[in-house]
PDB file of all heavy atoms in Angstrom:
ATOM      1  N   PRO A  23      -4.567  12.493   0.038  1.00  0.00           N
ATOM      2  CA  PRO A  23      -4.065  12.525  -1.337  1.00  0.00           C
ATOM      3  C   PRO A  23      -2.543  12.445  -1.420  1.00  0.00           C
ATOM      4  O   PRO A  23      -2.010  12.168  -2.482  1.00  0.00           O
ATOM      5  CB  PRO A  23      -4.568  13.853  -1.886  1.00  0.00           C
ATOM      6  CG  PRO A  23      -5.360  14.479  -0.843  1.00  0.00           C
ATOM      7  CD  PRO A  23      -5.255  13.712   0.424  1.00  0.00           C
ATOM      8  N   VAL A  24      -1.859  12.639  -0.298  1.00  0.00           N
ATOM      9  CA  VAL A  24      -0.402  12.543  -0.351  1.00  0.00           C
ATOM     10  C   VAL A  24       0.029  11.130  -0.733  1.00  0.00           C
ATOM     11  O   VAL A  24       1.106  10.931  -1.291  1.00  0.00           O
ATOM     12  CB  VAL A  24       0.212  12.947   1.008  1.00  0.00           C
ATOM     13  CG1 VAL A  24      -0.042  11.898   2.059  1.00  0.00           C
ATOM     14  CG2 VAL A  24       1.672  13.208   0.881  1.00  0.00           C
ATOM     15  N   ARG A  25      -0.830  10.152  -0.489  1.00  0.00           N
ATOM     16  CA  ARG A  25      -0.483   8.785  -0.864  1.00  0.00           C
ATOM     17  C   ARG A  25      -0.338   8.632  -2.362  1.00  0.00           C
ATOM     18  O   ARG A  25       0.199   7.646  -2.847  1.00  0.00           O
ATOM     19  CB  ARG A  25      -1.570   7.816  -0.403  1.00  0.00           C
ATOM     20  CG  ARG A  25      -1.689   7.663   1.081  1.00  0.00           C
ATOM     21  CD  ARG A  25      -2.836   6.745   1.435  1.00  0.00           C
ATOM     22  NE  ARG A  25      -4.105   7.280   1.007  1.00  0.00           N
ATOM     23  CZ  ARG A  25      -5.116   6.534   0.575  1.00  0.00           C
ATOM     24  NH1 ARG A  25      -5.002   5.233   0.537  1.00  0.00           N
ATOM     25  NH2 ARG A  25      -6.239   7.092   0.212  1.00  0.00           N
ATOM     26  N   ARG A  26      -0.901   9.582  -3.113  1.00  0.00           N
ATOM     27  CA  ARG A  26      -0.853   9.448  -4.563  1.00  0.00           C
ATOM     28  C   ARG A  26       0.332  10.181  -5.165  1.00  0.00           C
ATOM     29  O   ARG A  26       0.517  10.154  -6.365  1.00  0.00           O
ATOM     30  CB  ARG A  26      -2.126  10.039  -5.169  1.00  0.00           C
ATOM     31  CG  ARG A  26      -3.352   9.290  -4.738  1.00  0.00           C
ATOM     32  CD  ARG A  26      -4.588  10.067  -5.119  1.00  0.00           C
ATOM     33  NE  ARG A  26      -5.315   9.355  -6.141  1.00  0.00           N
ATOM     34  CZ  ARG A  26      -5.831   9.891  -7.237  1.00  0.00           C
ATOM     35  NH1 ARG A  26      -5.724  11.161  -7.444  1.00  0.00           N
ATOM     36  NH2 ARG A  26      -6.462   9.166  -8.104  1.00  0.00           N
ATOM     37  N   THR A  27       1.126  10.881  -4.351  1.00  0.00           N
ATOM     38  CA  THR A  27       2.246  11.633  -4.914  1.00  0.00           C
ATOM     39  C   THR A  27       3.415  10.706  -5.180  1.00  0.00           C
ATOM     40  O   THR A  27       3.647   9.743  -4.456  1.00  0.00           O
ATOM     41  CB  THR A  27       2.707  12.722  -3.943  1.00  0.00           C
ATOM     42  OG1 THR A  27       3.054  12.098  -2.711  1.00  0.00           O
ATOM     43  CG2 THR A  27       1.619  13.731  -3.702  1.00  0.00           C
ATOM     44  N   LEU A  28       4.197  11.035  -6.206  1.00  0.00           N
ATOM     45  CA  LEU A  28       5.348  10.222  -6.570  1.00  0.00           C
ATOM     46  C   LEU A  28       6.383  10.241  -5.458  1.00  0.00           C
ATOM     47  O   LEU A  28       7.047   9.228  -5.187  1.00  0.00           O
ATOM     48  CB  LEU A  28       5.970  10.751  -7.858  1.00  0.00           C
ATOM     49  CG  LEU A  28       5.305  10.286  -9.138  1.00  0.00           C
ATOM     50  CD1 LEU A  28       5.972  10.930 -10.315  1.00  0.00           C
ATOM     51  CD2 LEU A  28       5.384   8.778  -9.254  1.00  0.00           C
ATOM     52  N   ARG A  29       6.488  11.403  -4.812  1.00  0.00           N
ATOM     53  CA  ARG A  29       7.513  11.514  -3.767  1.00  0.00           C
ATOM     54  C   ARG A  29       7.233  10.531  -2.640  1.00  0.00           C
ATOM     55  O   ARG A  29       8.124   9.830  -2.163  1.00  0.00           O
ATOM     56  CB  ARG A  29       7.470  12.951  -3.244  1.00  0.00           C
ATOM     57  CG  ARG A  29       8.623  13.271  -2.349  1.00  0.00           C
ATOM     58  CD  ARG A  29       8.705  14.755  -2.187  1.00  0.00           C
ATOM     59  NE  ARG A  29       9.417  15.060  -0.983  1.00  0.00           N
ATOM     60  CZ  ARG A  29       9.445  16.254  -0.431  1.00  0.00           C
ATOM     61  NH1 ARG A  29       8.784  17.228  -0.980  1.00  0.00           N
ATOM     62  NH2 ARG A  29      10.128  16.456   0.670  1.00  0.00           N
ATOM     63  N   TYR A  30       5.947  10.472  -2.227  1.00  0.00           N
ATOM     64  CA  TYR A  30       5.586   9.560  -1.146  1.00  0.00           C
ATOM     65  C   TYR A  30       5.818   8.110  -1.566  1.00  0.00           C
ATOM     66  O   TYR A  30       6.362   7.304  -0.820  1.00  0.00           O
ATOM     67  CB  TYR A  30       4.106   9.778  -0.810  1.00  0.00           C
ATOM     68  CG  TYR A  30       3.555   8.818   0.187  1.00  0.00           C
ATOM     69  CD1 TYR A  30       3.724   9.023   1.548  1.00  0.00           C
ATOM     70  CD2 TYR A  30       2.839   7.705  -0.221  1.00  0.00           C
ATOM     71  CE1 TYR A  30       3.219   8.149   2.470  1.00  0.00           C
ATOM     72  CE2 TYR A  30       2.328   6.819   0.697  1.00  0.00           C
ATOM     73  CZ  TYR A  30       2.511   7.042   2.040  1.00  0.00           C
ATOM     74  OH  TYR A  30       2.000   6.161   2.953  1.00  0.00           O
ATOM     75  N   LEU A  31       5.418   7.809  -2.809  1.00  0.00           N
ATOM     76  CA  LEU A  31       5.533   6.426  -3.257  1.00  0.00           C
ATOM     77  C   LEU A  31       6.980   5.989  -3.342  1.00  0.00           C
ATOM     78  O   LEU A  31       7.336   4.868  -2.993  1.00  0.00           O
ATOM     79  CB  LEU A  31       4.868   6.283  -4.628  1.00  0.00           C
ATOM     80  CG  LEU A  31       3.355   6.423  -4.639  1.00  0.00           C
ATOM     81  CD1 LEU A  31       2.866   6.438  -6.057  1.00  0.00           C
ATOM     82  CD2 LEU A  31       2.702   5.301  -3.876  1.00  0.00           C
ATOM     83  N   SER A  32       7.844   6.907  -3.817  1.00  0.00           N
ATOM     84  CA  SER A  32       9.240   6.493  -3.965  1.00  0.00           C
ATOM     85  C   SER A  32       9.943   6.406  -2.625  1.00  0.00           C
ATOM     86  O   SER A  32      11.068   5.924  -2.552  1.00  0.00           O
ATOM     87  CB  SER A  32       9.980   7.463  -4.882  1.00  0.00           C
ATOM     88  OG  SER A  32       9.816   8.765  -4.407  1.00  0.00           O
ATOM     89  N   GLN A  33       9.277   6.861  -1.540  1.00  0.00           N
ATOM     90  CA  GLN A  33       9.909   6.754  -0.231  1.00  0.00           C
ATOM     91  C   GLN A  33       9.734   5.376   0.368  1.00  0.00           C
ATOM     92  O   GLN A  33      10.300   5.076   1.410  1.00  0.00           O
ATOM     93  CB  GLN A  33       9.293   7.779   0.718  1.00  0.00           C
ATOM     94  CG  GLN A  33       9.960   9.113   0.627  1.00  0.00           C
ATOM     95  CD  GLN A  33       9.187  10.159   1.390  1.00  0.00           C
ATOM     96  OE1 GLN A  33       8.160   9.873   1.984  1.00  0.00           O
ATOM     97  NE2 GLN A  33       9.674  11.367   1.351  1.00  0.00           N
ATOM     98  N   GLY A  34       8.914   4.513  -0.254  1.00  0.00           N
ATOM     99  CA  GLY A  34       8.778   3.154   0.242  1.00  0.00           C
ATOM    100  C   GLY A  34      10.080   2.413   0.062  1.00  0.00           C
ATOM    101  O   GLY A  34      10.702   2.473  -0.993  1.00  0.00           O
ATOM    102  N   ASP A  35      10.522   1.684   1.104  1.00  0.00           N
ATOM    103  CA  ASP A  35      11.837   1.057   0.999  1.00  0.00           C
ATOM    104  C   ASP A  35      11.779  -0.459   0.963  1.00  0.00           C
ATOM    105  O   ASP A  35      12.790  -1.122   1.152  1.00  0.00           O
ATOM    106  CB  ASP A  35      12.726   1.524   2.157  1.00  0.00           C
ATOM    107  CG  ASP A  35      12.013   1.367   3.472  1.00  0.00           C
ATOM    108  OD1 ASP A  35      10.865   0.897   3.475  1.00  0.00           O
ATOM    109  OD2 ASP A  35      12.590   1.728   4.503  1.00  0.00           O
ATOM    110  N   ILE A  36      10.602  -1.032   0.734  1.00  0.00           N
ATOM    111  CA  ILE A  36      10.539  -2.495   0.648  1.00  0.00           C
ATOM    112  C   ILE A  36      10.591  -2.891  -0.815  1.00  0.00           C
ATOM    113  O   ILE A  36       9.672  -2.595  -1.578  1.00  0.00           O
ATOM    114  CB  ILE A  36       9.239  -3.036   1.267  1.00  0.00           C
ATOM    115  CG1 ILE A  36       9.161  -2.630   2.720  1.00  0.00           C
ATOM    116  CG2 ILE A  36       9.205  -4.535   1.151  1.00  0.00           C
ATOM    117  CD1 ILE A  36       8.006  -3.245   3.429  1.00  0.00           C
TER     118      ILE A  36
END
Side-chain angles (χ1 to χ4, degrees):
Chain A
V24 72
R25 292 177 297 145
R26 296 168 113 225
T27 57
L28 277 177
R29 190 165 158 193
Y30 174 83
L31 291 173
S32 54
Q33 274 170 0
D35 50 1
I36 300 186

